């Protein structure tokens, strides 16, 4: 069997505006990223995925792209991006770039051109422009809502000043959806893929990959029968689109990968792994699972079964830039990601951060030991928690405004990383520039510098785990076998005499049948594995 790198890679997610600031404006950038490449190499990851760095008015933190072939000045220049890709390769790191094909920015040249060209024009046909309903076209063309709240349609004013057509945006109004039935859109994206492949990109993280193809009838949601396919996601038209993309990446040497971001259940997600389409997609299922052995076992079994059927490996995700940080989630009674809907104290429910940290550390050993690839969201290796007390007036996520101030949005997981020192900006920015979101003072204990020297730190745990993961031939891609265990304990082996045991019960459990402990997420108790703790064992 063929084992391309991405089947078992540990991929570090760089949320660039919060990773490291080189220019001193309080926003992370490519210069900062380049200066920290040694950190990523020492961490022991195999690849990085960079969130969008393209020219953007930043209505959605860069997911509103105005030029797919250039870098936003906030982040640097194209020459710097090219140099970064080369340097990363020099350190043995692959680079996955984020591609945003469902929509562009309303300032992408195609959109003003569409507004100017008028109804029925070829320029408007690249998007979804439709007349409104009602006597004067004052009602949106259908009842779809935006993922960020409010209607998914915005009415424009035509060139002659009259109220005009409406256009579709599944996200913010500044993010008009492309019409993927239009051959110009398809050709343009093939060209954009080639642009980055030519610059050495090892793959693409495909934003909102399930939303490109739409039911051409754009039916009202309310008109759909129970269980009917959704008209705005998971539509069969996607298959042909991704077969085209797969042909493009196949023209390039090396194993370039297509990873879809698809927030659908595994059964629907797996449809995108059909031969000749996406190589894989994020396994987001752990985000919606309780911290409980039977539920986790179910998620893992389903991923393995699906992988066996389609050939696509699992790619484990504990968190990303769109969800509550794992330490905070695992510190709550209900560990599933809901939304950021706020309570009176501005949080989504009390979190016990000590418990959450213990569980997040155990989960790190679980996910890095499971078959397949694994994604590490920047800051999870430092054990950062969700910042739930960002003052309302400093919130930047469009979700906050679009939800009518009922949902705080995703800023709490996007706070700039603490690198060193004892007070903000914690080495994030030179010259003490205030970071674009405020960092908690308590992060002085969690800086990379403070953790580097401490063998018990979360950073050390990740470094040890990733080092062992690279050295163990049985980790990453490949089979696993469940071991008999107590019901609230997960235990499995990987080839080569390796076992992972995770204790999700309330009492310590015995570690039997091993020849030594390779790594543990917390101190053992007289050789027993305490609750919410994981261990890696040498079994042969
Ligand atoms: C994806 C991104 C998210 C963004 C949205 C619209 O879900 O991860 O951050 O807001 O797509 O592009």
């Amino acid at each position: 069997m063929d084992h391309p790198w991405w089947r078992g890679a540990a991929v570090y997610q760089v949320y660039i505006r919060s990773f490291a600031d080189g220019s001193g404006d309080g926003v992370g950038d490519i210069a900062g990223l380049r200066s920290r490449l040694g950190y990523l190499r020492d961490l022991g990851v195999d690849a990085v995925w960079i969130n969008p760095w393209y020219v953007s008015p930043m209505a959605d933190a860069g997911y509103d792209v105005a030029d797919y072939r250039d870098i936003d000045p906030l982040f640097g220049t194209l020459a710097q991006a090219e140099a970064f890709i080369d340097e990363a390769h020099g350190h043995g790191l692959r680079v996955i770039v984020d591609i945003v094909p469902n929509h562009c920015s309303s300032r992408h040249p195609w959109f003003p051109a569409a507004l100017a060209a008028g109804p029925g024009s070829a320029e408007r046909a690249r998007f979804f422009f439709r007349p409104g309903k009602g006597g004067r076209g004052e009602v949106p063309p259908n009842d779809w809502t935006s993922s960020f709240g409010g209607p998914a349609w915005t009415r424009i004013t035509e060139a002659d000043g009259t109220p005009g057509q409406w256009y579709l945006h599944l996200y913010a109004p500044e993010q008009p959806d492309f019409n993927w039935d239009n051959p110009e859109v398809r050709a343009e994206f093939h060209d954009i893929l080639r642009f980055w492949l030519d610059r050495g990109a090892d793959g693409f993280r495909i934003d909102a990959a399930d939303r490109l193809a739409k039911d051409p009838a754009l039916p009202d949601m309310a008109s759909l029968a129970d269980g009917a396919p959704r008209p705005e996601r998971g539509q069969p038209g996607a298959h042909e689109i991704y077969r085209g993309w797969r042909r493009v990446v196949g023209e390039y040497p090396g194993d370039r990968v297509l990873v879809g971001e698809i927030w659908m259940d595994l059964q629907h997600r797996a449809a995108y792994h059909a031969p000749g389409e996406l190589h894989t997609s994020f396994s987001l299922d752990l985000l919606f699972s309780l911290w409980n052995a039977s539920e986790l076992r179910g998620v893992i079994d389903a991923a393995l079964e699906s992988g066996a059927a389609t050939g696509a490996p699992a790619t484990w995700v504990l968190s990303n830039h769109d969800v509550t940080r794992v330490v905070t989630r695992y510190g709550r009674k209900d560990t599933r990601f809901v939304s950021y809907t706020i309570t009176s104290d501005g949080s989504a429910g009390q979190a016990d951060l000590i418990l959450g940290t213990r569980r997040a550390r155990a989960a790190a050993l679980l996910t890095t030991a499971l078959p397949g690839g694994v994604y590490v969201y920047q800051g999870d290796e430092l054990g950062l928690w969700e910042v739930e007390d960002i003052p309302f007036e400093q919130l930047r996520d469009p979700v906050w405004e679009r939800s009518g101030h009922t949902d705080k949005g995703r800023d709490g997981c996007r706070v700039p990383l603490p690198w060193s020192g004892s007070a903000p900006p914690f080495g994030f920015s030179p010259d003490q520039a205030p970071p674009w979101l405020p960092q908690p003072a308590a992060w002085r204990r969690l800086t990379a510098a403070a953790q580097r020297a401490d063998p018990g730190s979360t950073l050390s745990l990740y470094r040890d785990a990733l080092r062992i993961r690279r050295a163990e031939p049985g980790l990453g891609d490949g089979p696993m076998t469940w071991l008999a265990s107590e019901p609230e304990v997960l235990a499995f082996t990987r080839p080569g005499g390796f076992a992972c045991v995770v204790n999700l019960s309330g009492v310590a459990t015995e570690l039997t049948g091993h020849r030594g402990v390779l790594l543990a997420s917390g101190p053992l108790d007289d050789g027993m594995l305490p609750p919410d703790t994981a261990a890696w064992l040498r079994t042969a």
Side-chain angles (χ1 to χ4, degrees), residues 54-56 65-71 108-109:
Y54 315 106
V55 177
S56 166
V65 181
D67 183 350
Y68 291 86
R69 297 181 186 82
D70 204 354
I71 300 293
H108 183 285

Side-chain angles (χ1 to χ4, degrees), residues 15 49 51 60 63-64 98 100 103 148 171 175 205 207-208 261 263 320-322 410 414:
Y15 192 68
W49 147 36
N51 285 102
D60 182 22
Y63 281 96
D64 47 321
D98 204 320
V100 190
H103 45 266
F148 295 158
Y171 296 92
Q175 295 167 296
R205 176 263 187 194
D207 188 64
E261 184 220 19
W263 294 84
N320 61 34
H321 66 293
D322 290 327
R410 303 159 290 180
R414 298 175 174 182

Side-chain angles (χ1 to χ4, degrees), residues 35-256:
S35 75
R36 301 285 181 183
L37 263 169
Y39 172 82
L40 297 175
R41 182 204 51 218
D42 295 347
L43 182 59
V45 291
D46 306 301
V48 291
W49 147 36
I50 322 274
N51 285 102
W53 51 8
Y54 315 106
V55 177
S56 166
M58 305 289 166
D60 182 22
Y63 281 96
D64 47 321
V65 181
D67 183 350
Y68 291 86
R69 297 181 186 82
D70 204 354
I71 300 293
D72 196 274
L74 194 60
F75 300 137
T77 63
L78 182 59
Q80 284 179 321
E82 291 169 344
F84 161 73
I85 295 173
D86 291 344
E87 286 165 11
H89 288 162
H91 284 296
L93 294 166
R94 315 260 181 170
V95 178
I96 296 177
V97 299
D98 204 320
I99 190 93
V100 190
N102 178 67
H103 45 266
C104 59
S105 161
S106 51
R107 303 227 207 118
H108 183 285
W110 280 10
F111 194 71
L115 295 183
S121 62
E123 287 83 354
R124 284 208 181 170
R126 295 162 173 162
F127 299 94
F128 288 95
F129 281 89
R130 294 286 185 281
K133 293 181 181 164
R136 294 179 313 283
E138 74 283 10
V139 180
N142 71 21
D143 64 357
W144 296 4
T145 53
S146 146
S147 289
F148 295 158
W153 295 89
T154 292
R155 192 171 196 186
I156 63 154
T157 302
E158 300 293 353
D160 64 2
T162 58
Q165 289 191 312
W166 298 70
Y167 68 90
L168 178 69
H169 50 86
L170 293 180
Y171 296 92
E174 295 87 351
Q175 295 167 296
D177 278 48
F178 281 120
N179 170 16
W180 273 87
D181 284 333
N182 186 308
E184 276 188 277
V185 172
R186 294 184 184 221
E188 174 68 359
F189 271 89
H190 284 190
D191 201 62
I192 293 165
L193 295 176
R194 290 198 176 94
F195 181 89
W196 290 103
L197 290 164
D198 286 338
R199 280 162 182 75
D202 298 288
F204 298 95
R205 176 263 187 194
I206 307 166
D207 188 64
D210 53 334
R211 295 188 162 208
L212 276 53
K214 277 129 185 135
D215 180 338
L218 305 181
D220 279 329
M221 296 283 176
S223 72
L224 301 172
D226 277 352
R230 307 258 315 234
E232 89 307 8
R233 56 166 47 177
Q235 284 285 318
H239 300 295
E240 202 197 316
I241 297 172
Y242 293 129
R243 282 196 290 270
W245 286 34
R246 184 69 177 259
R247 281 193 296 274
V248 172
V249 297
E251 292 164 8
Y252 285 77
D255 294 304
R256 320 274 179 129

Side-chain angles (χ1 to χ4, degrees), residues 222-421:
S223 72
L224 301 172
D226 277 352
R230 307 258 315 234
E232 89 307 8
R233 56 166 47 177
Q235 284 285 318
H239 300 295
E240 202 197 316
I241 297 172
Y242 293 129
R243 282 196 290 270
W245 286 34
R246 184 69 177 259
R247 281 193 296 274
V248 172
V249 297
E251 292 164 8
Y252 285 77
D255 294 304
R256 320 274 179 129
V257 65
L258 296 173
V259 187
E261 184 220 19
I262 298 170
W263 294 84
M264 298 186 86
D265 60 34
L266 181 54
Q267 186 203 335
H268 287 95
R269 197 154 60 71
Y272 292 84
H273 306 158
E277 299 185 23
L278 302 188
H279 295 92
T280 185
S281 60
F282 293 122
S283 305
L284 298 165
D285 317 77
L286 292 178
L287 302 174
F288 302 104
S289 309
L290 291 170
W291 181 246
N292 130 351
S294 62
E295 199 155 316
L296 296 180
R297 198 178 282 118
V299 166
I300 294 164
D301 281 337
L304 298 181
E305 254 171 62
S306 172
T310 65
T315 51
W316 300 103
V317 174
L318 285 173
S319 71
N320 61 34
H321 66 293
D322 290 327
V323 303
T324 312
R325 279 211 182 260
V326 62
V327 162
T328 300
R329 271 194 352 259
Y330 279 168
R332 292 194 181 128
K333 244 199 204 77
D334 188 335
T335 58
R336 290 171 296 190
F337 169 65
V338 269
S339 68
Y340 299 92
T341 311
I342 55 173
T343 56
S344 51
D345 68 351
S347 78
Q350 275 311 307
D352 173 346
L353 297 180
I354 294 176
L355 175 66
T357 301
R358 201 159 64 226
R359 289 175 170 171
R361 290 170 58 101
L365 291 200
L366 170 65
T367 49
T368 48
L370 284 173
V374 63
Y375 283 80
V376 180
Y377 176 47
Q378 71 176 40
D380 277 2
E381 83 281 17
L382 300 175
L384 301 187
W385 58 77
E386 182 81 9
V387 183
E388 299 194 273
D389 57 358
I390 301 174
F392 290 153
E393 62 280 5
Q394 281 181 261
L395 293 175
R396 301 277 284 277
D397 187 351
V399 169
W400 170 242
E401 289 301 328
R402 300 272 306 162
S403 70
H405 297 180
T406 57
D407 190 329
K408 283 206 297 189
R410 303 159 290 180
D411 290 325
C413 67
R414 298 175 174 182
V415 173
L417 292 193
W419 288 98
S420 58

